[in-house]
Amino acid sequence: MKAPFVYGRKVGREHFADREEEVERLKIAMMSGQNVIIYSPRRYGKSSLVGIALEELGKKVYPIEVDCSGVLTKKELAERISSAAIRTWKGRIEEFLRKLFKTTTPRIIIGKRLSVEFVVGEENTALEEALKLPKRLAEITGKRVVVVFDEFQEVSNLGKEVLPKMRAEFQKHKGVTYVFVGSKQGMMREIFQSPSSPFYNFGMHMILKRIPEGKFKPFIENKFKESGFEIDDELIDSVLRITKGHPHYTQMLCYRLWLNALLSKRGGISGEDLEKALEEILNETAEFFEEMWDSLTINQRRLLVAIARNESDLYSRDFLNRYGFERASTVQAALRALKEKELIVRENGKYLIENPLFELWILKVSEG
């Protein structure tokens, strides 16, 4: 049986909740040549959003999807760009490669997917060649080329000359749209919003947030109904109070509810089912949460407890006294550290714990 809820991987329209407006805006930007910078915390559906937009544009564009996660060298970046560039090609590969690569001849590896390997020691030449490929593809195909860099912030670790080199090349490209996707928001802002950065003002910013209850609720209800299960409004409200509209954890909790109902062979979902599903997930993640908690300083733990309790004025004298902070600067230091660890996010003017299930665990720990 096909699962109605999917999490932990890229999904298509069928399993994608909300974001209709974002998909349409992205498609228009891609076709019109407007570069786009997309960022949000991890597991907010950025990659799925881009994938859906590209799928719906279909043959109108030539996509180059480059995963920058864990990239360590300029040579490796050049190979990832080049490999992504040739995978979409449908014609004769030999003639295509001669038109594509001008100053270097890479080795083509034929495995499950075509990939490119450059000669060791030629990483600068290889990168220069790879950065020119989108423009050449636009000329060869006559289509708009859309280049997507996923986890683009990783590129900034490859040396101070890499970003200026990329910007200098990309700004000359006609018929090419660039989409930069990232989950480390501080690094992405530094790259695209700092006046001293080569990529300052290079595109339109699209910041994904958690999904509003009014959008998520009908999605959840319809998915349960399509799979033969009834769930009432109050129970959906309870799910969304727990997950706070986080796309990944909402799908995770709903999947567990559906799975348990399927195994029990009952046609409806109850409050007891929700309690059981939540307990199972928390038990499975308890060891990971404990390790994370143990890695934090006492001040970082105090601040997480305060945020979990929905405290808002984090610098008042009353707050400092109640939570054992000597001064406001100590709170600022703890906030900075938790942001760097990606444990908290700021949305709509307030701090939230990135993982709502970790928030529940923290509340249980703090209540003894």
Side-chain angles (χ1 to χ4, degrees):
M1 180 179 287
K2 199 172 183 180
F5 301 99
V6 178
Y7 63 96
R9 61 179 174 85
K10 282 177 69 173
V11 298
R13 273 281 196 185
E14 180 186 358
H15 297 291
F16 200 61
D18 191 31
R19 311 290 196 208
E20 289 92 351
E21 182 181 338
E22 288 89 342
V23 170
E24 292 307 313
R25 285 171 59 202
L26 185 56
K27 285 161 60 178
I28 292 170
M30 286 175 171
M31 287 303 298
S32 65
Q34 173 62 62
N35 300 327
V36 184
I37 299 104
I38 305 175
Y39 50 95
S40 72
R42 295 184 190 279
R43 298 179 292 272
Y44 269 45
K46 298 181 293 297
S47 298
S48 294
L49 173 73
V50 173
I52 290 167
L54 289 173
E55 182 180 5
E56 294 186 358
L57 288 175
K59 295 181 179 180
K60 294 178 182 178
V61 299
Y62 188 104
I64 302 176
E65 298 182 75
V66 185
D67 183 2
C68 300
S69 300
V71 66
L72 298 175
T73 65
K74 290 181 286 186
K75 175 177 175 291
E76 188 176 348
L77 176 61
E79 289 170 346
R80 293 193 189 189
I81 295 171
S82 303
S83 298
I86 67 173
R87 284 180 188 141
T88 309
W89 184 251
K90 302 300 182 185
R92 291 186 58 183
I93 194 70
E94 299 92 343
E95 181 183 351
F96 174 63
L97 293 175
R98 280 196 294 270
K99 291 180 180 179
L100 207 55
F101 295 98
K102 307 286 189 182
T103 60
T104 184
T105 304
R107 186 162 72 101
I108 306 301
I109 301 171
I110 302 175
K112 288 184 178 179
R113 297 198 301 172
L114 283 178
S115 61
V116 168
E117 185 178 88
F118 289 102
V119 176
V120 175
E122 294 186 0
E123 65 173 17
N124 288 323
T125 302
L127 183 58
E128 289 172 6
E129 183 84 321
L131 297 181
K132 296 180 189 302
L133 297 185
K135 178 187 174 184
R136 291 176 186 162
L137 277 166
E139 294 168 350
I140 293 169
T141 64
K143 292 184 178 182
R144 174 157 293 279
V145 173
V146 178
V147 185
V148 179
F149 287 101
D150 204 357
E151 297 299 342
F152 181 71
Q153 72 275 343
E154 302 299 314
V155 174
S156 64
N157 297 320
L158 299 182
K160 62 182 181 180
E161 78 284 358
V162 174
L163 290 180
K165 184 177 290 188
M166 295 179 84
R167 168 65 189 250
E169 182 60 46
F170 293 168
Q171 67 185 0
K172 296 182 291 187
H173 291 185
K174 294 180 180 179
V176 182
T177 302
Y178 286 93
V179 180
F180 304 92
V181 183
S183 58
K184 294 183 179 178
Q185 297 182 82
M187 293 177 71
M188 290 292 285
R189 289 193 181 99
E190 181 66 25
I191 293 169
F192 293 102
Q193 294 185 12
S194 172
S196 61
S197 171
F199 276 93
Y200 178 58
N201 280 344
F202 195 68
M204 174 183 78
H205 291 255
M206 186 180 289
I207 305 171
L208 299 189
K209 297 184 178 180
R210 299 188 182 194
I211 297 175
E213 180 181 327
K215 296 285 188 178
F216 230 149
K217 194 169 180 176
F219 173 85
I220 294 170
E221 183 179 13
N222 290 336
K223 283 297 179 183
F224 274 113
K225 280 185 177 178
E226 288 170 5
S227 58
F229 295 97
E230 294 294 327
I231 183 168
D232 62 42
D233 284 351
E234 289 184 9
L235 197 52
I236 297 176
D237 291 339
S238 296
V239 168
L240 293 173
R241 274 196 298 273
I242 291 167
T243 64
K244 294 181 168 61
H246 192 300
H248 177 88
Y249 297 106
T250 303
Q251 296 259 17
M252 174 192 285
L253 184 52
C254 287
Y255 173 83
R256 186 60 64 96
L257 273 173
W258 169 80
L259 179 62
N260 288 348
L262 185 67
L263 293 173
S264 65
K265 295 183 170 61
R266 287 186 289 106
I269 312 291
S270 69
E272 290 75 18
D273 292 326
L274 178 57
E275 290 178 11
K276 178 185 177 185
L278 192 57
E279 183 180 3
E280 288 174 350
I281 293 172
L282 289 177
N283 285 340
E284 290 166 8
T285 54
E287 185 175 349
F288 171 68
F289 289 159
E290 286 168 6
E291 290 178 1
M292 194 185 305
W293 187 252
D294 289 343
S295 71
L296 303 174
T297 68
I298 186 64
N299 285 330
Q300 291 165 12
R301 293 181 193 176
R302 287 169 177 165
L303 193 52
L304 281 179
V305 170
I307 293 172
R309 291 175 179 170
N310 207 29
E311 296 277 4
S312 55
D313 191 352
L314 305 181
Y315 300 108
S316 70
R317 175 50 57 189
D318 175 62
F319 174 84
L320 298 178
N321 289 337
R322 283 189 293 114
Y323 284 92
F325 291 104
E326 293 184 4
R327 55 186 69 87
S329 60
T330 311
V331 176
Q332 289 177 325
L335 273 174
R336 230 177 1 255
L338 293 174
K339 286 180 190 175
E340 289 173 1
K341 294 174 185 287
E342 300 181 60
L343 293 179
I344 61 172
V345 295
R346 189 170 177 82
E347 286 194 14
N348 302 319
K350 65 178 294 185
Y351 287 103
L352 300 171
I353 294 174
E354 192 278 328
N355 183 338
L357 301 180
F358 187 37
E359 178 178 305
L360 284 181
W361 185 88
I362 289 170
L363 289 172
K364 285 190 175 184
V365 168
S366 64
E367 291 167 2

